[in-house]
Amino acid sequence: MSKGLVEVENLKKYYPVTAGLLSRHVADVKAVDGVSFYIMEGETLGLVGESGCGKSSLGRTLLRLEEPTAGRVLYKGSDITRWDKRQLKELRKEAQMIFQDPQSSLDPRMTIGDSIGEALLIHSIGSEKDRLERVEELLKRVGLEPEHAMRYPHELSGGQKQRVGIARALAVTPKLIVADEPVSALDVSVQAQILNLIMDLQRELELAYLFIAHDLAVIGQVSDRIAVMYLGQIIELADRTELFSHPLHPYTEALLSAIPLPDPHQKRERILLQGEVPSPVNPPPGCRFHTRCPRVMKLCRQELPTLKLLEGNHLVSCHLYG
Amino acid sequence: MNNTVLEVKHLKTYFFTRSGVVKAVDGISFGLRKGESLCLVGESGCGKTATALSILRLIDSPPGRIIGGEILYHGEDLLRCSSERLRQIRGNRIAMIFQDPQTSLNPVFTIGDQVAEQIKLHLRLKHKPAMERALYLMEQVGIPQARERMKDYPHQFSGGMKQRVMIAAALSCEPEILIADEPTTALDTTIKAQILDIFRDLKQERNMSILFITHDLGTVAGIADRIIVMYGGRVAEAGTALDIFDQPKHPYTHGLFNCLPNISAGRNRLTPIPGMIPSLIDPPEGCIFNPRCEHRMPICSEERPKEVVLSGEHFVACHLYS
């Protein structure tokens, strides 16, 4: 039985570390190390974590922009890790990506119209006239003017460029969009505009999002469910309200308590984590978080906890909840 | 009693570019008192960094030039003193920390050498005592195994640790004033909380005056005594932290709060500020915020609003209150 639009099973992505003249393989960066989850049609799964936790690698591997080391990615029940080039091209019509930095994801020598229309051209969708009309429609849809089609990226502001990035992803009428930190390069007043656009589009086009961000406030704004990632693994996954009201994993608790709230009256008990994220080349044995965990036990140093399903559809990977 | 340590009066810093004159800072005045933390808040291009750099005459020239105003450090105008005198003050009495610790550290010198450098220069200490002092400072800001890590190079440090090094270096001469330009923006949530704690301790234990520059209202709430909200190179509103957070008056300040994602509010649309940040080459006439303001009146596009004192230290530059 299929659980959703996308199902990820025990996905791993290792990057080899090489050394010496012959590029001897000495170790692996375990960017994504055994991750499983699903995304339903029309829902937003928020993926949050600090830099280096593997959230971007996960997003890219999910779309096979990176080849997975192990595991399966089922799209509508079919394992895309086995698909060939021709099938992958078909996948690109249904699954798209929005990048963090709209500056570097647009070709500076192409007009905005050409950039948006490129996907249509590659997939041979419509006549030239149809494509121009579609580009115009997309520009309006993301809140730009048809005139912007003739402009070049350097003539646009950061927020406008991100709108173009979204229009490009929408050109092929996808069902799934992986959005990798789509608003973190933007100013707050513009960030709100783009977040609204992303939420509006979801309602109208019934899109499913994997929304990747390091900012829990942003994630909380857009997500139905939220997955928290630490050092290549998902350590907690729950509905947004459940996660914010009853965080279980000590890392999630610390992350939530560290969000700077725009309210000087709020004096919270902050859980200050000691130390830093260990290297994903040589992750600590046992629970990956035990080196920083304020509630570490003997078992945590020895045995890696697995994701366990608790009440309220709440998944957590921690020995405290054994 | 006058305990103002630094006073900025009618500062104007313009950048003379090929496409025109950018009025980055256009007549800004404020005072910084002993032992207080003052936050300059605003979005990109509002002139907050240019203000900070102007204080220490670090504006790149050309294209930038401070074309007017005074910067009084205990009554002495830093804009008119000799460069030799300025060197005595810079780094010694007034220290600065930048956003990106990566670019502020020299990759070919060890961390210890770089922290000790200004100690040797300003306190005229020999190598050995300077290194001892550097070690003490690095321990103060919470760098573990500081004695060993002094021999490391910047690339062996993480982002959070590099920012600690920058703070240690800035503190080396026990400055009276610390200017921190987005010191936590490049850091992860849990590390950001650690660094903000260091700033709070510095203020309390050393009675240091901190000019803190950031775009993040959450960070501001955690650290500010007083706040200056900047927009388009001018002051929109200023007051105590409670004035600004509890009773924001300027429509721009209101807008900034409204467009923040809020975890407790749920999946709702945000209320963004329409439009975008204006070009400072050809800024709108009158109030620079008027094209984006929902309370726009005819006078707003004709006359630049004067600062209106509302109560105590709370003032606003808006025609609604004049």
Side-chain angles (χ1 to χ4, degrees):
Chain A
M1 195 196 80
S2 171
K3 276 194 225 158
L5 184 67
V6 189
E7 277 174 76
V8 175
E9 288 174 7
N10 204 18
L11 191 68
K12 291 184 184 175
K13 176 64 193 172
Y14 294 176
Y15 296 93
V17 180
T18 55
L21 198 58
L22 300 170
S23 300
R24 210 160 24 91
H25 179 197
V26 288
D28 285 305
V29 177
K30 294 170 180 156
V32 181
D33 201 11
V35 162
S36 305
F37 60 88
Y38 63 91
I39 306 172
M40 307 283 283
E41 270 182 49
E43 100 166 327
T44 303
L45 178 68
L47 183 62
V48 69
E50 299 183 282
S51 42
C53 75
K55 54 192 192 301
S56 292
S57 297
L58 175 55
R60 296 176 61 87
T61 313
L62 182 87
L63 295 182
R64 266 190 79 185
L65 296 175
E66 308 271 352
E67 285 305 314
T69 310
R72 302 203 301 165
V73 178
L74 304 179
Y75 181 78
K76 290 182 177 168
S78 165
D79 185 3
I80 62 164
T81 61
R82 291 162 189 281
W83 284 12
D84 60 22
K85 249 183 147 170
R86 191 181 47 79
Q87 287 172 301
L88 276 183
K89 193 175 163 189
E90 288 304 305
L91 177 69
R92 306 274 174 252
K93 281 197 221 169
E94 305 210 0
Q96 281 286 322
M97 183 136 182
I98 302 171
F99 299 92
Q100 169 171 3
D101 184 3
Q103 177 69 51
S104 56
S105 53
L106 290 174
D107 187 333
R109 289 166 303 177
M110 272 167 88
T111 63
I112 298 304
D114 287 346
S115 271
I116 298 173
E118 194 183 16
L120 300 170
L121 200 65
I122 287 169
H123 293 290
S124 327
I125 300 169
S127 65
E128 195 180 342
K129 190 165 157 287
D130 293 341
R131 285 200 291 270
L132 287 176
E133 274 170 18
R134 175 86 180 125
V135 167
E136 195 168 304
E137 182 193 319
L138 284 163
L139 282 168
K140 282 191 209 150
R141 188 62 216 77
V142 297
L144 294 169
E145 302 295 326
E147 293 84 67
H148 282 112
M150 308 306 291
R151 303 272 194 87
Y152 286 89
H154 74 268
E155 298 174 72
L156 305 187
S157 70
Q160 288 176 325
K161 269 183 271 202
Q162 195 53 289
R163 287 177 195 272
V164 174
I166 294 171
R168 291 187 77 190
L170 293 178
V172 290
T173 58
K175 297 309 288 173
L176 170 71
I177 290 182
V178 174
D180 188 2
E181 301 268 14
V183 296
S184 45
L186 306 174
D187 275 310
V188 272
S189 70
V190 181
Q191 172 180 303
Q193 296 173 2
I194 301 293
L195 286 177
N196 277 347
L197 174 65
I198 286 174
M199 290 189 282
D200 290 348
L201 290 170
Q202 174 165 50
R203 244 187 323 265
E204 287 161 35
L205 307 173
E206 289 169 356
L207 294 168
Y209 289 120
L210 177 66
F211 193 101
I212 303 170
H214 69 284
D215 185 341
L216 258 173
V218 168
I219 285 274
Q221 188 72 42
V222 299
S223 307
D224 297 303
R225 289 183 302 136
I226 297 172
V228 183
M229 215 171 160
Y230 188 80
L231 218 56
Q233 297 179 331
I234 288 179
I235 51 113
E236 187 161 4
L237 200 166
D239 285 346
R240 66 175 289 285
T241 39
E242 169 72 16
L243 190 90
F244 285 131
S245 52
H246 302 109
L248 294 177
H249 200 287
Y251 178 64
T252 315
E253 282 180 346
L255 210 54
L256 282 173
S257 81
I259 306 176
L261 289 183
D263 179 0
H265 298 293
Q266 199 126 1
K267 294 281 176 268
R268 283 175 309 167
E269 192 60 36
R270 278 190 310 126
I271 307 164
L272 212 49
L273 284 184
Q274 297 305 315
E276 298 178 34
V277 185
S279 153
V281 177
N282 194 7
C287 172
R288 304 252 153 125
F289 185 59
H290 86 253
T291 53
R292 300 173 77 197
C293 184
R295 298 161 76 180
V296 61
M297 305 177 293
K298 198 175 159 207
L299 179 65
C300 306
R301 299 198 177 88
Q302 295 155 354
E303 207 177 295
L304 184 68
T306 51
L307 266 184
K308 280 181 279 285
L309 184 63
L310 304 182
E311 246 174 82
N313 220 7
H314 199 139
L315 285 159
V316 66
S317 162
C318 176
H319 288 308
L320 287 172
Y321 309 94
Chain B
M1 197 190 84
N2 183 11
N3 57 358
T4 303
V5 289
L6 184 79
E7 196 168 7
V8 174
K9 281 185 174 172
H10 312 294
L11 178 69
K12 286 188 178 184
T13 304
Y14 291 1
F15 289 85
F16 297 84
T17 66
R18 265 193 303 182
S19 29
V21 181
V22 180
K23 296 175 179 168
V25 181
D26 199 14
I28 280 195
S29 306
F30 62 86
L32 178 66
R33 297 187 199 121
K34 180 98 197 124
E36 90 168 334
S37 59
L38 175 64
C39 279
L40 290 184
V41 187
E43 299 181 281
S44 35
C46 75
K48 52 193 195 301
T49 297
T51 304
L53 293 175
S54 301
I55 291 173
L56 289 175
R57 272 165 57 187
L58 291 171
I59 293 283
D60 278 333
S61 178
R65 210 162 72 219
I66 299 170
I67 63 151
E70 290 173 285
I71 289 169
L72 304 174
Y73 170 66
H74 289 293
E76 178 182 3
D77 191 352
L78 298 185
L79 297 181
R80 280 164 194 86
C81 70
S82 67
S83 28
E84 198 184 333
R85 172 75 185 128
L86 187 67
R87 265 202 303 278
Q88 287 170 5
I89 293 171
R90 199 195 274 159
N92 190 7
R93 306 313 313 145
I94 307 178
M96 185 152 179
I97 299 169
F98 299 91
Q99 170 170 1
D100 188 359
Q102 180 69 53
T103 52
S104 334
L105 288 167
N106 189 330
V108 300
F109 289 100
T110 65
I111 294 291
D113 282 337
Q114 296 191 54
V115 177
E117 187 187 358
Q118 25 185 343
I119 302 176
K120 290 185 204 168
L121 191 74
H122 287 298
L123 303 183
R124 296 180 192 282
L125 289 178
K126 291 253 183 318
H127 183 74
K128 222 168 163 195
M131 289 302 259
E132 280 304 314
R133 176 147 178 81
L135 172 64
Y136 167 76
L137 288 162
M138 284 171 67
E139 281 169 348
Q140 288 274 297
V141 295
I143 297 173
Q145 286 130 31
R147 192 173 290 276
E148 285 75 49
R149 301 230 58 188
M150 283 178 84
K151 298 171 198 133
D152 285 346
Y153 289 87
H155 75 269
Q156 291 164 296
F157 275 62
S158 68
M161 281 298 151
K162 271 188 268 211
Q163 199 55 285
R164 284 172 200 260
V165 169
M166 293 314 298
I167 296 173
L171 295 180
S172 56
C173 305
E174 307 225 327
E176 199 177 353
I177 300 171
L178 186 62
I179 301 175
D181 186 5
E182 303 265 14
T184 58
T185 306
L187 306 176
D188 277 317
T189 319
T190 57
I191 308 295
K192 187 186 280 185
Q194 293 172 359
I195 300 289
L196 280 178
D197 265 18
I198 297 179
F199 279 102
R200 270 188 289 264
D201 290 348
L202 285 178
K203 201 181 70 141
Q204 250 154 36
E205 286 163 21
R206 303 182 186 222
N207 202 19
M208 203 178 271
S209 309
I210 302 178
L211 182 63
F212 200 100
I213 295 162
T214 180
H215 70 281
D216 180 1
L217 285 165
T219 304
V220 172
I223 195 159
D225 296 320
R226 279 194 307 137
I227 297 170
I228 295 174
V229 181
M230 288 183 70
Y231 186 79
R234 303 172 192 178
V235 174
E237 184 169 1
T240 65
L242 295 183
D243 287 338
I244 303 291
F245 277 96
D246 293 348
Q247 296 174 30
K249 295 292 184 209
H250 198 286
Y252 176 63
T253 319
H254 267 290
L256 271 186
F257 282 118
N258 285 339
C259 63
L260 288 180
N262 185 344
I263 291 171
S264 42
R267 280 193 81 207
N268 296 319
R269 280 178 59 91
L270 297 159
T271 323
I273 304 174
M276 38 184 188
I277 294 159
S279 147
L280 297 182
I281 291 179
D282 186 20
E285 291 284 314
C287 170
I288 200 160
F289 186 61
N290 87 74
R292 302 176 76 187
C293 184
E294 51 179 337
H295 303 291
R296 186 175 52 236
M297 303 177 291
I299 189 175
C300 299
S301 48
E302 289 156 14
E303 209 174 288
R304 183 167 166 174
K306 292 195 177 58
E307 287 171 358
V308 184
V309 178
L310 298 167
S311 67
E313 312 197 52
H314 193 182
F315 64 84
V316 63
C318 176
H319 287 302
L320 286 173
Y321 302 94
S322 54

